[in-house]
Amino acid sequence: MKRILFINLRSHYVERMEPLYAAKKLGVEVVLLADIKPQIDDGYISEDNFIITDTYDMANAVQKVIEFAKEKPIDGVLTWSDKDVELVSLIAEKLDIPAPSIEASKNARNKFLMRKAISEENPELCPKFSRVTNFSEFKEAVDVIGTPGVLKPVGASGSKTIVKIYSETDLESVFERVRSETRISRDKVYKYFPDEYIYEELLSGDEMSVEGFVSSVTGEVVIAGMTDKYVTDEYSTEYKEIEPSQKSPKFLKLYSEKVKSAVKSLGITACSFHAEVKVVGEALKVIEIAARPGGGFITTHLVKLASGVSFIEETIKNALNQPIDKKNLF
């Protein structure tokens, strides 16, 4: 029996359980590395397969997994959220199992490094952007890029502390607000890239997400789902998703190729990915690309309902260095 390591599970109970159902169906034993023991249905993880530790302390977490694997070898590792993408790579490197390289995981985690990597090969897929670490750099970025724009921390997720800038008034108070809201004492997610932000053009157009895999067997980028997303203007809160996308087949084919190119430029391998983009006609701009499965019930439910193939099962198989089922090719 293959054994896979999950690093944390999703906060919503329905999404939390889906990977455990999928692993059981595939006959894969689950080990869970987590900050706290989560509420799950009985029988899906054996008591001796929990590794409970502070996963923000990556060096210690890696060591605990290495010790565990001496008695119970681990064949694959994956996570469901952005914060643990780098930890996946560190563990995979030590255990010699499939996952993105540490450099690639940083490209996927740090929004500035992501923009830089994509723009070097596909500048048309990125808005104007600038790295910001203090108010002086922020003011200079606004002067060069202009408004409207967006200021956000490079390492957060879930739309945390994304501030839209529509004028050049009160810039200092805006920057201080963002710095205050991104203190490590407020949320430990900010410890990965402290006091580092990105300012970029505010993108217009329709929002979509694109789900897929980079095959651990062939290296091929496979698109498995494309979703139309409806998002509120002020807080970027998703309130409706349609899968599959209702855009024209001609445009979807173009979008697919552009996302594949962006994924390749990040250097990520052997994982699933979740790309968020804005589109206007044939044009596509990348919002961000995560080296893990998407949330919001897209990968746990919508892709399977639309394609008949479980995205979560394929994610597990890919982490175990097994071929991806091409029946869910979008």
Side-chain angles (χ1 to χ4, degrees), residues 226 245-256 330:
M226 301 179 79
S245 169
Q246 299 301 292
K247 298 286 191 293
S248 75
K250 172 188 171 183
F251 286 165
L252 292 176
K253 185 175 181 181
L254 284 171
Y255 301 158
S256 173
F330 187 83

Side-chain angles (χ1 to χ4, degrees), residues 48-59:
D48 56 351
N49 276 8
F50 286 100
I51 308 173
I52 306 303
T53 190
D54 180 4
T55 56
Y56 288 94
D57 183 350
M58 291 193 286

Side-chain angles (χ1 to χ4, degrees), residues 102-121:
I102 295 169
E103 180 183 4
S105 70
K106 286 185 181 295
N107 284 342
R109 278 284 293 127
N110 183 304
K111 292 176 174 60
F112 172 73
L113 295 179
M114 180 185 302
R115 287 274 183 244
K116 188 170 179 288
I118 294 173
S119 63
E120 285 175 356
E121 296 186 22

